């Protein structure tokens, strides 16, 4: 083993550089930079910077703001033989604010504001489909699709805390799965 190590060091030795003056220079420079950062941080803490102090309350208020957004798709085909049923988009990609329920397909607004809502649906087979995006049971926009096609609608509407939004199939019955049907929304203002 020792003979092998000696052989390796002799063979590779000339190409390996152990700590040299360049490395030591870099290490000294790094230590100087660390000392400068420490001095700068102490100086910032000591000074009464009115510009920072005037912005700080607004920044702290923004820190408590939580964005609201959701995105869900339909992983398996939805057969609504009874018609007039909410479509439960079961595959959730995002749910910031936890307002969307994949088991019911209903988004309940956790925060008041102006929301952008979008749905896109594909029909399975030779069926035709008509669906509505509804707020508290009132249609906001509608989309239709026929013969393996897709339809979509988008609205920007105000929602209050607790308002319920869903996509309801009105007629037709085979909404295509395979993530070809989507329901998305986000708080704009």
């Amino acid at each position: 083993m020792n003979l092998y190590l000696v052989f390796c060091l002799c063979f590779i030795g000339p190409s390996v550089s152990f700590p040299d003056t360049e490395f030591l220079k870099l290490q000294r420079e790094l230590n100087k930079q660390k000392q400068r950062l420490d001095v700068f941080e102490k100086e910032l803490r000591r000074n009464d910077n009115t510009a920072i102090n005037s912005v700080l309350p607004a920044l702290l208020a923004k820190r408590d703001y939580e964005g609201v957004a959701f995105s869900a798709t339909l992983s398996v085909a939805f057969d609504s033989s009874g018609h007039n049923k909410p479509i439960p988009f079961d595959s959730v990609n995002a749910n910031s604010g936890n307002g969307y329920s994949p088991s019911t397909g209903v988004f309940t607004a956790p925060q008041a504001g102006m929301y952008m809502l979008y749905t896109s649906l594909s029909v399975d087979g030779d069926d035709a489909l008509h669906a509505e995006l509804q707020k508290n049971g009132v249609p906001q926009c509608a989309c239709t699709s026929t013969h393996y096609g897709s339809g979509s609608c988008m609205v920007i509407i105000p929602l209050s805390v607790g308002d319920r939004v869903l996509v309801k199939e009105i007629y037709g019955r085979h909404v295509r799965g395979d993530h070809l049907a989507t329901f998305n929304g986000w708080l704009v203002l």
Side-chain angles (χ1 to χ4, degrees), residues 56-76:
L56 192 58
L59 290 174
L60 290 174
K62 291 284 186 190
R63 179 186 67 178
D64 294 335
Y65 170 80
E66 182 180 320
V68 178
F70 72 95
S71 176
T73 62
L74 192 61
S75 65
V76 295

Side-chain angles (χ1 to χ4, degrees), residues 102-123:
S103 62
T104 63
V106 175
F107 170 72
T108 305
Q111 185 174 332
M114 196 65 71
Y115 284 78
M116 181 175 282
L117 300 158
Y118 172 82
T119 189
S120 175
L121 303 170
S122 294
V123 70

Side-chain angles (χ1 to χ4, degrees), residues 95-157:
N95 196 8
S96 177
N98 296 316
Y100 180 73
S101 169
S103 62
T104 63
V106 175
F107 170 72
T108 305
Q111 185 174 332
M114 196 65 71
Y115 284 78
M116 181 175 282
L117 300 158
Y118 172 82
T119 189
S120 175
L121 303 170
S122 294
V123 70
D124 204 13
D126 288 332
D127 201 4
L129 174 71
H130 177 79
E132 295 176 343
L133 192 149
Q134 297 181 351
K135 169 187 168 185
N136 298 328
V138 178
Q140 303 298 307
C141 67
C143 61
T144 59
S145 176
T146 59
H147 191 68
Y148 290 103
S150 64
S152 62
C153 72
M154 180 178 71
V155 293
I156 298 174
I157 57 174

Side-chain angles (χ1 to χ4, degrees), residues 9 12-23:
L9 287 176
I12 343 177
S15 65
V16 174
S17 63
F18 292 97
D20 58 2
T21 56
E22 195 62 35
F23 175 75

